[in-house]
Amino acid sequence: MADLSAFPITHKWPPQQPELLQLYSLPTPNGVKVSIMLEETGLAYEPHLVRFDTNDQMSAEFLSLNPNNKIPAILDPNGPGGKPLPLFESGAILVYLADKTGQLMPSDPAARYETLQWVMFQMGGIGPMFGQLGFFNKFAGKDYEDKRPRDRYVAESRRLLGVLNQRLAGRQWLMGDDYSIADIAIFPWVNNLIGFYEAGDLVGIEDFQEVKRVLAAFLARPAVVRGLGIPKRV
């Protein structure tokens, strides 16, 4: 049995099955990327809920794994060379899990880099912009009299949706016929934008029919349905 006691995070979230990959997360757009990936690949794992309402992400134990105090993070007892691997940043975790399982990443080098560019497109554009729009539309920002900040993020979110819509025209998924980590990175954010953030009308989602088509296909996948609720909120 793997010994993970050297990692302080396991003192706050004791593993019941330390031989399994340990997931520390919350069902947010970034968090569910990894739970969906794990469900899609079939890799066994043990999820742990990191509660923001009690500032779990600011605890010394969590910061020992992710000094950036964001979810998700993982601790894989069976990392490279058979040694435990702690890892944070959802994009990095997606790439790691794709390499570990040999799934959801093209083997052709050119296609691999093309897939990675769309993962980076989400990390650098869609995530930050949709998140800011969510703040200004649903949370404290909605009370600001000056709507210029909100409108700035609306315009940029529409631009990003346009890029995505154009890419998906004539394709089943971002990389064509094959579902990949690029789809797993992007579509939880699209789903959150028009669902939880309630910004579908604001960004004119009906103008982006290719995005809507692929989002529906994404949400119909059984692994996605399961992953969207992991870890379960309590």
Side-chain angles (χ1 to χ4, degrees), residues 29 125-144 149-154 157 189 192-200 202-203:
I126 282 181
M129 294 303 107
F130 287 11
Q132 294 291 348
L133 177 53
F135 171 81
F136 283 103
N137 186 55
K138 181 164 184 171
F139 299 111
K142 69 180 182 297
D143 298 324
Y144 295 1
R150 185 204 66 178
D151 292 346
R152 170 184 171 84
Y153 290 114
V154 169
S157 294
W189 275 102
N192 212 62
L193 179 71
I194 64 180
F196 181 73
Y197 287 158
E198 301 172 354
L202 193 60
V203 298

PDB file of all heavy atoms in Angstrom, residues 29 125-144 149-154 157 189 192-200 202-203:
ATOM      1  N   PRO A  29     -16.135  24.923 -12.911  1.00  0.00           N
ATOM      2  CA  PRO A  29     -15.672  24.612 -14.272  1.00  0.00           C
ATOM      3  C   PRO A  29     -14.252  24.061 -14.320  1.00  0.00           C
ATOM      4  O   PRO A  29     -13.971  23.126 -15.066  1.00  0.00           O
ATOM      5  CB  PRO A  29     -15.784  25.958 -14.998  1.00  0.00           C
ATOM      6  CG  PRO A  29     -16.868  26.674 -14.287  1.00  0.00           C
ATOM      7  CD  PRO A  29     -16.746  26.274 -12.854  1.00  0.00           C
ATOM      8  N   GLY A 125      -7.853  32.341 -22.225  1.00  0.00           N
ATOM      9  CA  GLY A 125      -8.926  33.191 -22.715  1.00  0.00           C
ATOM     10  C   GLY A 125     -10.284  32.878 -22.122  1.00  0.00           C
ATOM     11  O   GLY A 125     -10.862  33.670 -21.381  1.00  0.00           O
ATOM     12  N   ILE A 126     -10.812  31.715 -22.460  1.00  0.00           N
ATOM     13  CA  ILE A 126     -12.182  31.391 -22.071  1.00  0.00           C
ATOM     14  C   ILE A 126     -12.372  31.389 -20.563  1.00  0.00           C
ATOM     15  O   ILE A 126     -13.329  31.981 -20.047  1.00  0.00           O
ATOM     16  CB  ILE A 126     -12.606  30.046 -22.694  1.00  0.00           C
ATOM     17  CG1 ILE A 126     -12.968  30.263 -24.168  1.00  0.00           C
ATOM     18  CG2 ILE A 126     -13.779  29.432 -21.934  1.00  0.00           C
ATOM     19  CD1 ILE A 126     -13.423  29.028 -24.891  1.00  0.00           C
ATOM     20  N   GLY A 127     -11.480  30.752 -19.823  1.00  0.00           N
ATOM     21  CA  GLY A 127     -11.634  30.690 -18.370  1.00  0.00           C
ATOM     22  C   GLY A 127     -11.621  32.059 -17.721  1.00  0.00           C
ATOM     23  O   GLY A 127     -12.578  32.438 -17.030  1.00  0.00           O
ATOM     24  N   PRO A 128     -10.568  32.846 -17.921  1.00  0.00           N
ATOM     25  CA  PRO A 128     -10.524  34.165 -17.287  1.00  0.00           C
ATOM     26  C   PRO A 128     -11.659  35.103 -17.724  1.00  0.00           C
ATOM     27  O   PRO A 128     -12.244  35.803 -16.896  1.00  0.00           O
ATOM     28  CB  PRO A 128      -9.163  34.715 -17.724  1.00  0.00           C
ATOM     29  CG  PRO A 128      -8.332  33.502 -17.974  1.00  0.00           C
ATOM     30  CD  PRO A 128      -9.283  32.490 -18.537  1.00  0.00           C
ATOM     31  N   MET A 129     -11.986  35.103 -19.011  1.00  0.00           N
ATOM     32  CA  MET A 129     -13.003  36.038 -19.495  1.00  0.00           C
ATOM     33  C   MET A 129     -14.405  35.637 -19.042  1.00  0.00           C
ATOM     34  O   MET A 129     -15.186  36.476 -18.577  1.00  0.00           O
ATOM     35  CB  MET A 129     -12.960  36.130 -21.026  1.00  0.00           C
ATOM     36  CG  MET A 129     -11.681  36.739 -21.565  1.00  0.00           C
ATOM     37  SD  MET A 129     -11.332  38.397 -20.917  1.00  0.00           S
ATOM     38  CE  MET A 129      -9.971  38.025 -19.796  1.00  0.00           C
ATOM     39  N   PHE A 130     -14.734  34.351 -19.163  1.00  0.00           N
ATOM     40  CA  PHE A 130     -16.054  33.909 -18.723  1.00  0.00           C
ATOM     41  C   PHE A 130     -16.199  34.092 -17.213  1.00  0.00           C
ATOM     42  O   PHE A 130     -17.277  34.424 -16.717  1.00  0.00           O
ATOM     43  CB  PHE A 130     -16.289  32.447 -19.090  1.00  0.00           C
ATOM     44  CG  PHE A 130     -16.523  32.189 -20.564  1.00  0.00           C
ATOM     45  CD1 PHE A 130     -16.293  33.173 -21.519  1.00  0.00           C
ATOM     46  CD2 PHE A 130     -16.953  30.943 -20.999  1.00  0.00           C
ATOM     47  CE1 PHE A 130     -16.493  32.926 -22.875  1.00  0.00           C
ATOM     48  CE2 PHE A 130     -17.163  30.684 -22.345  1.00  0.00           C
ATOM     49  CZ  PHE A 130     -16.935  31.675 -23.282  1.00  0.00           C
ATOM     50  N   GLY A 131     -15.112  33.869 -16.484  1.00  0.00           N
ATOM     51  CA  GLY A 131     -15.157  34.054 -15.040  1.00  0.00           C
ATOM     52  C   GLY A 131     -15.414  35.497 -14.647  1.00  0.00           C
ATOM     53  O   GLY A 131     -16.205  35.780 -13.738  1.00  0.00           O
ATOM     54  N   GLN A 132     -14.765  36.425 -15.324  1.00  0.00           N
ATOM     55  CA  GLN A 132     -15.007  37.843 -15.038  1.00  0.00           C
ATOM     56  C   GLN A 132     -16.427  38.241 -15.412  1.00  0.00           C
ATOM     57  O   GLN A 132     -17.084  38.999 -14.678  1.00  0.00           O
ATOM     58  CB  GLN A 132     -13.992  38.709 -15.803  1.00  0.00           C
ATOM     59  CG  GLN A 132     -12.558  38.543 -15.342  1.00  0.00           C
ATOM     60  CD  GLN A 132     -12.307  39.103 -13.953  1.00  0.00           C
ATOM     61  OE1 GLN A 132     -13.131  39.812 -13.394  1.00  0.00           O
ATOM     62  NE2 GLN A 132     -11.157  38.781 -13.392  1.00  0.00           N
ATOM     63  N   LEU A 133     -16.902  37.732 -16.524  1.00  0.00           N
ATOM     64  CA  LEU A 133     -18.285  38.042 -16.916  1.00  0.00           C
ATOM     65  C   LEU A 133     -19.258  37.509 -15.869  1.00  0.00           C
ATOM     66  O   LEU A 133     -20.242  38.176 -15.530  1.00  0.00           O
ATOM     67  CB  LEU A 133     -18.586  37.422 -18.289  1.00  0.00           C
ATOM     68  CG  LEU A 133     -20.019  37.604 -18.807  1.00  0.00           C
ATOM     69  CD1 LEU A 133     -20.441  39.069 -18.784  1.00  0.00           C
ATOM     70  CD2 LEU A 133     -20.146  37.040 -20.217  1.00  0.00           C
ATOM     71  N   GLY A 134     -18.981  36.313 -15.338  1.00  0.00           N
ATOM     72  CA  GLY A 134     -19.827  35.770 -14.290  1.00  0.00           C
ATOM     73  C   GLY A 134     -19.876  36.672 -13.067  1.00  0.00           C
ATOM     74  O   GLY A 134     -20.945  36.882 -12.475  1.00  0.00           O
ATOM     75  N   PHE A 135     -18.729  37.241 -12.705  1.00  0.00           N
ATOM     76  CA  PHE A 135     -18.696  38.153 -11.557  1.00  0.00           C
ATOM     77  C   PHE A 135     -19.567  39.372 -11.802  1.00  0.00           C
ATOM     78  O   PHE A 135     -20.360  39.768 -10.948  1.00  0.00           O
ATOM     79  CB  PHE A 135     -17.253  38.597 -11.279  1.00  0.00           C
ATOM     80  CG  PHE A 135     -17.153  39.704 -10.261  1.00  0.00           C
ATOM     81  CD1 PHE A 135     -17.210  39.424  -8.913  1.00  0.00           C
ATOM     82  CD2 PHE A 135     -17.010  41.022 -10.660  1.00  0.00           C
ATOM     83  CE1 PHE A 135     -17.121  40.441  -7.965  1.00  0.00           C
ATOM     84  CE2 PHE A 135     -16.918  42.044  -9.734  1.00  0.00           C
ATOM     85  CZ  PHE A 135     -16.973  41.746  -8.377  1.00  0.00           C
ATOM     86  N   PHE A 136     -19.427  39.972 -12.971  1.00  0.00           N
ATOM     87  CA  PHE A 136     -20.156  41.213 -13.256  1.00  0.00           C
ATOM     88  C   PHE A 136     -21.633  40.977 -13.562  1.00  0.00           C
ATOM     89  O   PHE A 136     -22.439  41.896 -13.436  1.00  0.00           O
ATOM     90  CB  PHE A 136     -19.487  41.963 -14.407  1.00  0.00           C
ATOM     91  CG  PHE A 136     -18.247  42.686 -13.997  1.00  0.00           C
ATOM     92  CD1 PHE A 136     -16.992  42.181 -14.298  1.00  0.00           C
ATOM     93  CD2 PHE A 136     -18.318  43.871 -13.274  1.00  0.00           C
ATOM     94  CE1 PHE A 136     -15.837  42.839 -13.910  1.00  0.00           C
ATOM     95  CE2 PHE A 136     -17.164  44.542 -12.877  1.00  0.00           C
ATOM     96  CZ  PHE A 136     -15.924  44.023 -13.191  1.00  0.00           C
ATOM     97  N   ASN A 137     -21.997  39.754 -13.937  1.00  0.00           N
ATOM     98  CA  ASN A 137     -23.393  39.488 -14.265  1.00  0.00           C
ATOM     99  C   ASN A 137     -24.175  38.906 -13.094  1.00  0.00           C
ATOM    100  O   ASN A 137     -25.340  39.246 -12.888  1.00  0.00           O
ATOM    101  CB  ASN A 137     -23.486  38.529 -15.448  1.00  0.00           C
ATOM    102  CG  ASN A 137     -24.910  38.341 -15.923  1.00  0.00           C
ATOM    103  OD1 ASN A 137     -25.600  39.316 -16.233  1.00  0.00           O
ATOM    104  ND2 ASN A 137     -25.372  37.107 -15.984  1.00  0.00           N
ATOM    105  N   LYS A 138     -23.542  38.029 -12.313  1.00  0.00           N
ATOM    106  CA  LYS A 138     -24.292  37.304 -11.286  1.00  0.00           C
ATOM    107  C   LYS A 138     -23.918  37.681  -9.862  1.00  0.00           C
ATOM    108  O   LYS A 138     -24.772  37.645  -8.982  1.00  0.00           O
ATOM    109  CB  LYS A 138     -24.098  35.801 -11.478  1.00  0.00           C
ATOM    110  CG  LYS A 138     -24.871  34.964 -10.467  1.00  0.00           C
ATOM    111  CD  LYS A 138     -25.009  33.518 -10.860  1.00  0.00           C
ATOM    112  CE  LYS A 138     -25.873  32.791  -9.830  1.00  0.00           C
ATOM    113  NZ  LYS A 138     -26.223  31.436 -10.268  1.00  0.00           N
ATOM    114  N   PHE A 139     -22.677  38.034  -9.621  1.00  0.00           N
ATOM    115  CA  PHE A 139     -22.232  38.257  -8.251  1.00  0.00           C
ATOM    116  C   PHE A 139     -22.162  39.749  -7.922  1.00  0.00           C
ATOM    117  O   PHE A 139     -22.973  40.518  -8.411  1.00  0.00           O
ATOM    118  CB  PHE A 139     -20.907  37.523  -8.023  1.00  0.00           C
ATOM    119  CG  PHE A 139     -21.045  36.040  -8.217  1.00  0.00           C
ATOM    120  CD1 PHE A 139     -20.457  35.404  -9.297  1.00  0.00           C
ATOM    121  CD2 PHE A 139     -21.811  35.284  -7.332  1.00  0.00           C
ATOM    122  CE1 PHE A 139     -20.603  34.042  -9.478  1.00  0.00           C
ATOM    123  CE2 PHE A 139     -21.962  33.918  -7.506  1.00  0.00           C
ATOM    124  CZ  PHE A 139     -21.361  33.290  -8.579  1.00  0.00           C
ATOM    125  N   ALA A 140     -21.227  40.158  -7.125  1.00  0.00           N
ATOM    126  CA  ALA A 140     -21.210  41.530  -6.626  1.00  0.00           C
ATOM    127  C   ALA A 140     -21.185  42.568  -7.739  1.00  0.00           C
ATOM    128  O   ALA A 140     -21.735  43.666  -7.600  1.00  0.00           O
ATOM    129  CB  ALA A 140     -20.013  41.724  -5.694  1.00  0.00           C
ATOM    130  N   GLY A 141     -20.557  42.230  -8.842  1.00  0.00           N
ATOM    131  CA  GLY A 141     -20.441  43.195  -9.925  1.00  0.00           C
ATOM    132  C   GLY A 141     -21.754  43.625 -10.539  1.00  0.00           C
ATOM    133  O   GLY A 141     -21.835  44.681 -11.173  1.00  0.00           O
ATOM    134  N   LYS A 142     -22.795  42.834 -10.356  1.00  0.00           N
ATOM    135  CA  LYS A 142     -24.080  43.177 -10.970  1.00  0.00           C
ATOM    136  C   LYS A 142     -24.673  44.457 -10.396  1.00  0.00           C
ATOM    137  O   LYS A 142     -25.538  45.092 -11.017  1.00  0.00           O
ATOM    138  CB  LYS A 142     -25.073  42.021 -10.798  1.00  0.00           C
ATOM    139  CG  LYS A 142     -25.546  41.773  -9.384  1.00  0.00           C
ATOM    140  CD  LYS A 142     -26.531  40.600  -9.335  1.00  0.00           C
ATOM    141  CE  LYS A 142     -27.068  40.366  -7.936  1.00  0.00           C
ATOM    142  NZ  LYS A 142     -26.012  39.984  -6.987  1.00  0.00           N
ATOM    143  N   ASP A 143     -24.213  44.841  -9.203  1.00  0.00           N
ATOM    144  CA  ASP A 143     -24.733  46.053  -8.567  1.00  0.00           C
ATOM    145  C   ASP A 143     -23.972  47.314  -8.971  1.00  0.00           C
ATOM    146  O   ASP A 143     -24.358  48.417  -8.576  1.00  0.00           O
ATOM    147  CB  ASP A 143     -24.675  45.897  -7.039  1.00  0.00           C
ATOM    148  CG  ASP A 143     -25.546  44.742  -6.549  1.00  0.00           C
ATOM    149  OD1 ASP A 143     -26.619  44.540  -7.139  1.00  0.00           O
ATOM    150  OD2 ASP A 143     -25.134  44.047  -5.605  1.00  0.00           O
ATOM    151  N   TYR A 144     -22.908  47.167  -9.761  1.00  0.00           N
ATOM    152  CA  TYR A 144     -22.148  48.337 -10.185  1.00  0.00           C
ATOM    153  C   TYR A 144     -22.967  49.166 -11.176  1.00  0.00           C
ATOM    154  O   TYR A 144     -23.501  48.629 -12.157  1.00  0.00           O
ATOM    155  CB  TYR A 144     -20.836  47.939 -10.852  1.00  0.00           C
ATOM    156  CG  TYR A 144     -19.825  47.252  -9.967  1.00  0.00           C
ATOM    157  CD1 TYR A 144     -20.073  46.970  -8.621  1.00  0.00           C
ATOM    158  CD2 TYR A 144     -18.589  46.879 -10.480  1.00  0.00           C
ATOM    159  CE1 TYR A 144     -19.140  46.337  -7.822  1.00  0.00           C
ATOM    160  CE2 TYR A 144     -17.633  46.235  -9.680  1.00  0.00           C
ATOM    161  CZ  TYR A 144     -17.930  45.969  -8.354  1.00  0.00           C
ATOM    162  OH  TYR A 144     -16.999  45.337  -7.572  1.00  0.00           O
ATOM    163  N   PRO A 149     -17.291  47.809 -17.374  1.00  0.00           N
ATOM    164  CA  PRO A 149     -16.513  46.580 -17.140  1.00  0.00           C
ATOM    165  C   PRO A 149     -17.257  45.326 -17.593  1.00  0.00           C
ATOM    166  O   PRO A 149     -16.689  44.464 -18.262  1.00  0.00           O
ATOM    167  CB  PRO A 149     -16.285  46.594 -15.626  1.00  0.00           C
ATOM    168  CG  PRO A 149     -16.392  48.025 -15.238  1.00  0.00           C
ATOM    169  CD  PRO A 149     -17.441  48.592 -16.139  1.00  0.00           C
ATOM    170  N   ARG A 150     -18.551  45.242 -17.243  1.00  0.00           N
ATOM    171  CA  ARG A 150     -19.338  44.090 -17.678  1.00  0.00           C
ATOM    172  C   ARG A 150     -19.367  43.993 -19.187  1.00  0.00           C
ATOM    173  O   ARG A 150     -19.165  42.912 -19.768  1.00  0.00           O
ATOM    174  CB  ARG A 150     -20.767  44.185 -17.135  1.00  0.00           C
ATOM    175  CG  ARG A 150     -21.620  42.963 -17.454  1.00  0.00           C
ATOM    176  CD  ARG A 150     -23.097  43.277 -17.457  1.00  0.00           C
ATOM    177  NE  ARG A 150     -23.450  44.184 -18.550  1.00  0.00           N
ATOM    178  CZ  ARG A 150     -24.678  44.596 -18.799  1.00  0.00           C
ATOM    179  NH1 ARG A 150     -25.682  44.233 -18.008  1.00  0.00           N
ATOM    180  NH2 ARG A 150     -24.928  45.409 -19.815  1.00  0.00           N
ATOM    181  N   ASP A 151     -19.615  45.105 -19.844  1.00  0.00           N
ATOM    182  CA  ASP A 151     -19.742  45.093 -21.300  1.00  0.00           C
ATOM    183  C   ASP A 151     -18.420  44.742 -21.978  1.00  0.00           C
ATOM    184  O   ASP A 151     -18.408  44.141 -23.062  1.00  0.00           O
ATOM    185  CB  ASP A 151     -20.262  46.444 -21.796  1.00  0.00           C
ATOM    186  CG  ASP A 151     -21.708  46.698 -21.370  1.00  0.00           C
ATOM    187  OD1 ASP A 151     -22.368  45.736 -20.931  1.00  0.00           O
ATOM    188  OD2 ASP A 151     -22.151  47.857 -21.465  1.00  0.00           O
ATOM    189  N   ARG A 152     -17.319  45.094 -21.350  1.00  0.00           N
ATOM    190  CA  ARG A 152     -16.013  44.712 -21.887  1.00  0.00           C
ATOM    191  C   ARG A 152     -15.881  43.192 -21.919  1.00  0.00           C
ATOM    192  O   ARG A 152     -15.434  42.614 -22.926  1.00  0.00           O
ATOM    193  CB  ARG A 152     -14.895  45.313 -21.025  1.00  0.00           C
ATOM    194  CG  ARG A 152     -13.496  44.792 -21.356  1.00  0.00           C
ATOM    195  CD  ARG A 152     -12.470  45.362 -20.382  1.00  0.00           C
ATOM    196  NE  ARG A 152     -11.166  44.728 -20.539  1.00  0.00           N
ATOM    197  CZ  ARG A 152     -10.251  45.082 -21.426  1.00  0.00           C
ATOM    198  NH1 ARG A 152     -10.488  46.087 -22.250  1.00  0.00           N
ATOM    199  NH2 ARG A 152      -9.096  44.451 -21.499  1.00  0.00           N
ATOM    200  N   TYR A 153     -16.289  42.543 -20.836  1.00  0.00           N
ATOM    201  CA  TYR A 153     -16.182  41.088 -20.785  1.00  0.00           C
ATOM    202  C   TYR A 153     -17.240  40.400 -21.640  1.00  0.00           C
ATOM    203  O   TYR A 153     -17.002  39.311 -22.157  1.00  0.00           O
ATOM    204  CB  TYR A 153     -16.234  40.616 -19.331  1.00  0.00           C
ATOM    205  CG  TYR A 153     -14.980  41.011 -18.575  1.00  0.00           C
ATOM    206  CD1 TYR A 153     -15.030  41.924 -17.521  1.00  0.00           C
ATOM    207  CD2 TYR A 153     -13.738  40.508 -18.945  1.00  0.00           C
ATOM    208  CE1 TYR A 153     -13.881  42.298 -16.851  1.00  0.00           C
ATOM    209  CE2 TYR A 153     -12.582  40.883 -18.286  1.00  0.00           C
ATOM    210  CZ  TYR A 153     -12.661  41.779 -17.248  1.00  0.00           C
ATOM    211  OH  TYR A 153     -11.513  42.157 -16.599  1.00  0.00           O
ATOM    212  N   VAL A 154     -18.389  41.029 -21.804  1.00  0.00           N
ATOM    213  CA  VAL A 154     -19.383  40.499 -22.742  1.00  0.00           C
ATOM    214  C   VAL A 154     -18.805  40.480 -24.156  1.00  0.00           C
ATOM    215  O   VAL A 154     -18.895  39.472 -24.874  1.00  0.00           O
ATOM    216  CB  VAL A 154     -20.680  41.333 -22.708  1.00  0.00           C
ATOM    217  CG1 VAL A 154     -21.597  40.945 -23.874  1.00  0.00           C
ATOM    218  CG2 VAL A 154     -21.416  41.139 -21.390  1.00  0.00           C
ATOM    219  N   SER A 157     -16.074  37.859 -24.446  1.00  0.00           N
ATOM    220  CA  SER A 157     -16.655  36.510 -24.412  1.00  0.00           C
ATOM    221  C   SER A 157     -17.323  36.171 -25.731  1.00  0.00           C
ATOM    222  O   SER A 157     -17.212  35.043 -26.231  1.00  0.00           O
ATOM    223  CB  SER A 157     -17.656  36.399 -23.253  1.00  0.00           C
ATOM    224  OG  SER A 157     -17.003  36.518 -22.001  1.00  0.00           O
ATOM    225  N   TRP A 189     -16.728  25.267 -19.145  1.00  0.00           N
ATOM    226  CA  TRP A 189     -16.828  26.722 -19.040  1.00  0.00           C
ATOM    227  C   TRP A 189     -17.987  27.271 -19.854  1.00  0.00           C
ATOM    228  O   TRP A 189     -18.680  28.199 -19.425  1.00  0.00           O
ATOM    229  CB  TRP A 189     -15.513  27.372 -19.465  1.00  0.00           C
ATOM    230  CG  TRP A 189     -14.522  27.437 -18.358  1.00  0.00           C
ATOM    231  CD1 TRP A 189     -13.441  26.629 -18.143  1.00  0.00           C
ATOM    232  CD2 TRP A 189     -14.545  28.354 -17.262  1.00  0.00           C
ATOM    233  NE1 TRP A 189     -12.785  26.987 -16.994  1.00  0.00           N
ATOM    234  CE2 TRP A 189     -13.445  28.052 -16.432  1.00  0.00           C
ATOM    235  CE3 TRP A 189     -15.387  29.403 -16.907  1.00  0.00           C
ATOM    236  CZ2 TRP A 189     -13.165  28.766 -15.268  1.00  0.00           C
ATOM    237  CZ3 TRP A 189     -15.109  30.119 -15.748  1.00  0.00           C
ATOM    238  CH2 TRP A 189     -14.020  29.798 -14.943  1.00  0.00           C
ATOM    239  N   ASN A 192     -21.071  26.511 -17.906  1.00  0.00           N
ATOM    240  CA  ASN A 192     -21.206  27.389 -16.752  1.00  0.00           C
ATOM    241  C   ASN A 192     -21.644  28.797 -17.153  1.00  0.00           C
ATOM    242  O   ASN A 192     -22.423  29.450 -16.449  1.00  0.00           O
ATOM    243  CB  ASN A 192     -19.877  27.457 -16.009  1.00  0.00           C
ATOM    244  CG  ASN A 192     -20.039  27.648 -14.523  1.00  0.00           C
ATOM    245  OD1 ASN A 192     -20.620  26.803 -13.855  1.00  0.00           O
ATOM    246  ND2 ASN A 192     -19.529  28.748 -14.001  1.00  0.00           N
ATOM    247  N   LEU A 193     -21.152  29.246 -18.295  1.00  0.00           N
ATOM    248  CA  LEU A 193     -21.488  30.595 -18.757  1.00  0.00           C
ATOM    249  C   LEU A 193     -22.984  30.763 -18.946  1.00  0.00           C
ATOM    250  O   LEU A 193     -23.569  31.756 -18.508  1.00  0.00           O
ATOM    251  CB  LEU A 193     -20.760  30.891 -20.074  1.00  0.00           C
ATOM    252  CG  LEU A 193     -21.038  32.258 -20.703  1.00  0.00           C
ATOM    253  CD1 LEU A 193     -20.404  33.373 -19.894  1.00  0.00           C
ATOM    254  CD2 LEU A 193     -20.550  32.296 -22.148  1.00  0.00           C
ATOM    255  N   ILE A 194     -23.594  29.790 -19.599  1.00  0.00           N
ATOM    256  CA  ILE A 194     -25.023  29.931 -19.910  1.00  0.00           C
ATOM    257  C   ILE A 194     -25.920  29.300 -18.855  1.00  0.00           C
ATOM    258  O   ILE A 194     -27.124  29.551 -18.839  1.00  0.00           O
ATOM    259  CB  ILE A 194     -25.348  29.359 -21.306  1.00  0.00           C
ATOM    260  CG1 ILE A 194     -25.087  27.856 -21.363  1.00  0.00           C
ATOM    261  CG2 ILE A 194     -24.535  30.075 -22.370  1.00  0.00           C
ATOM    262  CD1 ILE A 194     -25.395  27.242 -22.718  1.00  0.00           C
ATOM    263  N   GLY A 195     -25.313  28.517 -17.942  1.00  0.00           N
ATOM    264  CA  GLY A 195     -26.078  27.892 -16.872  1.00  0.00           C
ATOM    265  C   GLY A 195     -25.926  28.670 -15.584  1.00  0.00           C
ATOM    266  O   GLY A 195     -26.686  29.597 -15.297  1.00  0.00           O
ATOM    267  N   PHE A 196     -24.910  28.334 -14.814  1.00  0.00           N
ATOM    268  CA  PHE A 196     -24.712  28.928 -13.495  1.00  0.00           C
ATOM    269  C   PHE A 196     -24.567  30.449 -13.550  1.00  0.00           C
ATOM    270  O   PHE A 196     -25.121  31.168 -12.714  1.00  0.00           O
ATOM    271  CB  PHE A 196     -23.483  28.303 -12.834  1.00  0.00           C
ATOM    272  CG  PHE A 196     -23.204  28.821 -11.463  1.00  0.00           C
ATOM    273  CD1 PHE A 196     -24.008  28.467 -10.389  1.00  0.00           C
ATOM    274  CD2 PHE A 196     -22.125  29.670 -11.228  1.00  0.00           C
ATOM    275  CE1 PHE A 196     -23.755  28.950  -9.112  1.00  0.00           C
ATOM    276  CE2 PHE A 196     -21.850  30.153  -9.964  1.00  0.00           C
ATOM    277  CZ  PHE A 196     -22.675  29.795  -8.904  1.00  0.00           C
ATOM    278  N   TYR A 197     -23.822  30.969 -14.527  1.00  0.00           N
ATOM    279  CA  TYR A 197     -23.628  32.412 -14.625  1.00  0.00           C
ATOM    280  C   TYR A 197     -24.828  33.137 -15.245  1.00  0.00           C
ATOM    281  O   TYR A 197     -24.889  34.365 -15.217  1.00  0.00           O
ATOM    282  CB  TYR A 197     -22.381  32.734 -15.453  1.00  0.00           C
ATOM    283  CG  TYR A 197     -21.070  32.448 -14.771  1.00  0.00           C
ATOM    284  CD1 TYR A 197     -19.913  32.252 -15.521  1.00  0.00           C
ATOM    285  CD2 TYR A 197     -20.958  32.392 -13.381  1.00  0.00           C
ATOM    286  CE1 TYR A 197     -18.691  31.988 -14.911  1.00  0.00           C
ATOM    287  CE2 TYR A 197     -19.751  32.133 -12.761  1.00  0.00           C
ATOM    288  CZ  TYR A 197     -18.615  31.934 -13.536  1.00  0.00           C
ATOM    289  OH  TYR A 197     -17.403  31.676 -12.940  1.00  0.00           O
ATOM    290  N   GLU A 198     -25.744  32.397 -15.844  1.00  0.00           N
ATOM    291  CA  GLU A 198     -26.983  32.956 -16.409  1.00  0.00           C
ATOM    292  C   GLU A 198     -26.707  34.067 -17.418  1.00  0.00           C
ATOM    293  O   GLU A 198     -27.399  35.078 -17.468  1.00  0.00           O
ATOM    294  CB  GLU A 198     -27.882  33.480 -15.269  1.00  0.00           C
ATOM    295  CG  GLU A 198     -28.256  32.414 -14.262  1.00  0.00           C
ATOM    296  CD  GLU A 198     -28.968  32.965 -13.041  1.00  0.00           C
ATOM    297  OE1 GLU A 198     -29.073  34.207 -12.916  1.00  0.00           O
ATOM    298  OE2 GLU A 198     -29.417  32.169 -12.199  1.00  0.00           O
ATOM    299  N   ALA A 199     -25.669  33.854 -18.236  1.00  0.00           N
ATOM    300  CA  ALA A 199     -25.252  34.901 -19.173  1.00  0.00           C
ATOM    301  C   ALA A 199     -25.507  34.538 -20.628  1.00  0.00           C
ATOM    302  O   ALA A 199     -24.973  35.192 -21.529  1.00  0.00           O
ATOM    303  CB  ALA A 199     -23.769  35.213 -18.967  1.00  0.00           C
ATOM    304  N   GLY A 200     -26.323  33.518 -20.870  1.00  0.00           N
ATOM    305  CA  GLY A 200     -26.587  33.099 -22.240  1.00  0.00           C
ATOM    306  C   GLY A 200     -27.183  34.196 -23.103  1.00  0.00           C
ATOM    307  O   GLY A 200     -26.724  34.454 -24.216  1.00  0.00           O
ATOM    308  N   LEU A 202     -27.115  37.377 -22.451  1.00  0.00           N
ATOM    309  CA  LEU A 202     -26.202  38.518 -22.461  1.00  0.00           C
ATOM    310  C   LEU A 202     -25.166  38.392 -23.574  1.00  0.00           C
ATOM    311  O   LEU A 202     -24.839  39.378 -24.252  1.00  0.00           O
ATOM    312  CB  LEU A 202     -25.514  38.635 -21.105  1.00  0.00           C
ATOM    313  CG  LEU A 202     -24.760  39.922 -20.791  1.00  0.00           C
ATOM    314  CD1 LEU A 202     -25.694  41.129 -20.840  1.00  0.00           C
ATOM    315  CD2 LEU A 202     -24.101  39.819 -19.417  1.00  0.00           C
ATOM    316  N   VAL A 203     -24.652  37.178 -23.791  1.00  0.00           N
ATOM    317  CA  VAL A 203     -23.640  36.986 -24.835  1.00  0.00           C
ATOM    318  C   VAL A 203     -24.270  36.601 -26.174  1.00  0.00           C
ATOM    319  O   VAL A 203     -23.560  36.455 -27.170  1.00  0.00           O
ATOM    320  CB  VAL A 203     -22.604  35.912 -24.429  1.00  0.00           C
ATOM    321  CG1 VAL A 203     -21.848  36.338 -23.196  1.00  0.00           C
ATOM    322  CG2 VAL A 203     -23.252  34.536 -24.246  1.00  0.00           C
TER     323      VAL A 203
END
